[in-house]
Amino acid sequence: MSSSIDERKLSIDERLSLDNFEIDKESHIIVDTNICKRCVSKVCVYACPAHLYRLENGEIIFNHEGCLECGTCRIVCPLGAIKWNNPRGGFGIHYRYG
Ligand code: SF4
Ligand code: SF4
């Protein structure tokens, strides 16, 4: 007997793959990368569950597309470099499951 999607445990990646994104051309998160230059830990790179922060030649590159709107980056940033707003109405992630 085959199990339906609701009958079995889904991994985090499987759950996320069910979600939809309405991408806004304007980012709801602004990162002051000048401040990032003083940051030793670069913890955003490791803390963002969507892997939207990356290091390129020692500099932080951020792309808001795919943001899960969890707010983790703002909380963990030790230097207050992240200005986090809610996405504009209708934009952002539309959770489908869990
Ligand atoms: S943790 Fe904050 S200050 Fe450090 S690199 Fe990331 S955004 Fe910049
Ligand atoms: S709000 Fe969450 S998913 Fe979005 S960039 Fe910050 S840590 Fe990543």
Side-chain angles (χ1 to χ4, degrees), residues 27-40:
S27 177
H28 61 291
I29 296 174
I30 307 296
V31 183
D32 186 336
T33 52
N34 278 325
I35 295 177
C36 297
K37 289 174 185 164
R38 292 190 279 115
C39 181
V40 176

Side-chain angles (χ1 to χ4, degrees), residues 28-29 44 47-53 62-64 66-74 76 82 84:
H28 61 291
I29 296 174
C44 55
C48 173
H51 309 294
L52 300 183
Y53 294 83
F62 172 70
N63 178 4
H64 70 287
C67 177
L68 304 174
E69 299 170 29
C70 63
T72 303
C73 53
R74 183 179 61 171
V76 300
I82 296 169
W84 202 101

Side-chain angles (χ1 to χ4, degrees), residues 3 8-9 11 13 22-23 32 42-43 46 51-52 56 58 60 62-63 70 74 76 85 88-89 95-96 98:
S3 64
R8 63 191 179 89
K9 275 199 154 188
S11 70
D13 284 343
E22 199 61 49
I23 307 292
D32 186 336
K42 305 280 197 283
V43 67
Y46 312 103
H51 309 294
L52 300 183
E56 213 171 277
I60 287 291
F62 172 70
N63 178 4
C70 63
R74 183 179 61 171
V76 300
N85 299 298
R88 295 192 297 167
Y95 284 100
R96 290 276 180 83

